[in-house]
Amino acid sequence: MKKLILSIAALALFATSAFAERYVMITHGEGKDPFWPVVQKGGEDAARAIGADFEYIYNPSADMADMASSIQAAAATQPDGMVISLPDPDALGPAIKAAVAAGVPVITMNSGLESSASLGALMHVGQPELLAGQKAGERAKAEGASKALCMIQEAYNTALVDRCEGYGSAVPMQMTDTTSDPATIQTRATAALQANSDIDAILSVGPHVCEAVDKALADLGMSVHHSCFDLSPAVMDLIGSGRVAFTIDQQQRLQGYMPVIVLHLYNNSAGLLPGANIPSGPGFVDKSNASSVAALAGIDR
């Protein structure tokens, strides 16, 4: 009898795992940006909460053709849903359309808000980046910024371009392509600062960019209004020391967590969906709230 009960329990466990929902998340992160592990953790936490299998894929080459191939390969396995960042709609759009046409529900996240619906995605979870840039620029201007450089690590990424251009609507700026490599960021930031010694402000549109640009400023002995995007423990320290005025928090854990939950509801509740896209930001982190956020930076924020 005991053996029979154990056998039934084993069969039940096998059946549960064999028919578990399976979700795939594909992002454009290169693995050097501290932003993406928080997104991945959000997806993993959501999958664990609903008992689903979860796979996270990123393309370290940062090549959009490689990312499109990853989307195609993942869609061919017929997951119950896909969560995809969309930094380059032209390059990734055909692969996403093909996934949708094959019956795979897709939610875009992080970047690509403006193109999400046209590609057939159910919705988008992320920060309206142009708005976030505008808010950053308005605050920087109010704090004395009048001429800026925008340090951008992925010049092809429409979301990051929107951040710079939004900022530029309040503070005249020019963009500097830093790449995502920390050593290269500092080298290129140093060259740009030396060539533009009349600037009084910098916007760094990623946390690792923020850190490397601060090192360039320190080496040159320059003091400018420095604001950033996204969180990391080092950025929190820079805010605490007064070297960075503020950072824009897009709450990336929500970008990983919410799409998995929404796909689960969509699949199990007759197409249940929120009535609109889910904006995960923007929010300001500065000296007034950095101490309460710091413990979560790089983990859940």
Side-chain angles (χ1 to χ4, degrees):
M1 184 64 160
K2 184 177 179 182
K3 289 183 179 178
L4 177 60
I5 293 172
L6 289 174
S7 297
I8 293 172
L11 285 171
L13 181 62
F14 174 78
T16 300
S17 99
F19 295 103
E21 295 168 63
R22 182 170 63 88
Y23 297 109
V24 178
M25 179 180 292
I26 302 176
T27 75
H28 62 279
E30 294 181 49
K32 299 171 184 175
D33 188 334
F35 177 91
W36 291 107
V38 180
V39 176
Q40 179 181 356
K41 181 178 182 294
E44 290 169 346
D45 289 346
R48 190 178 304 111
I50 61 174
D53 293 330
F54 178 80
E55 182 179 0
Y56 178 74
I57 300 170
Y58 73 91
N59 291 88
S61 70
D63 184 90
M64 290 294 100
D66 285 349
M67 186 173 174
S69 295
S70 293
I71 293 170
Q72 292 167 347
T77 69
Q78 285 292 301
D80 293 288
M82 295 175 66
V83 184
I84 304 172
S85 67
L86 185 55
D88 188 336
D90 290 338
L92 303 178
I96 292 174
K97 284 184 175 179
V100 172
V104 179
V106 172
I107 291 179
T108 58
M109 52 82 77
N110 178 258
S111 47
L113 167 65
E114 294 78 12
S115 301
S116 176
S118 67
L119 299 178
L122 297 176
M123 61 178 300
H124 183 84
V125 180
Q127 174 174 259
E129 299 292 1
L130 186 65
L131 172 65
Q134 290 168 346
K135 294 297 183 184
E138 290 167 5
R139 178 159 175 173
K141 182 178 180 179
E143 294 177 355
S146 63
K147 185 177 182 182
L149 293 175
C150 187
M151 303 290 185
I152 179 171
Q153 69 269 28
E154 296 167 355
Y156 62 85
N157 188 331
T158 57
L160 301 187
V161 172
D162 281 349
R163 291 177 180 181
C164 290
E165 292 184 346
Y167 182 95
S169 66
V171 181
M173 66 83 201
Q174 68 179 53
M175 283 187 272
T176 296
D177 180 3
T178 65
T179 80
S180 274
D181 178 69
T184 305
I185 294 169
Q186 185 172 346
T187 300
R188 292 195 179 188
T190 298
L193 288 165
Q194 290 173 327
N196 297 275
S197 58
D198 59 334
I199 61 106
D200 58 17
I202 292 176
L203 176 68
S204 295
V205 297
H208 56 317
V209 179
C210 186
E211 297 166 30
V213 168
D214 178 74
K215 291 176 182 176
L217 287 167
D219 286 349
L220 293 172
M222 292 181 66
S223 178
V224 301
H225 183 281
H226 189 192
S227 54
C228 304
F229 269 78
D230 301 327
L231 276 64
S232 73
V235 172
M236 296 298 96
D237 290 343
L238 291 172
I239 291 174
S241 67
R243 295 188 60 80
V244 168
F246 60 82
T247 193
I248 297 285
D249 180 15
Q250 63 175 299
Q251 302 182 117
Q252 72 265 38
R253 183 170 186 261
L254 292 178
Q255 297 177 11
Y257 191 93
M258 293 306 298
V260 174
I261 298 298
V262 170
L263 285 167
H264 171 70
L265 293 173
Y266 177 81
N267 286 325
N268 292 279
S269 301
L272 183 67
L273 279 175
N277 295 322
I278 299 177
S280 63
F284 285 99
V285 175
D286 54 25
K287 271 196 172 183
S288 70
N289 60 351
S291 60
S292 62
V293 173
L296 302 175
I299 302 170
D300 285 324
R301 290 288 290 269

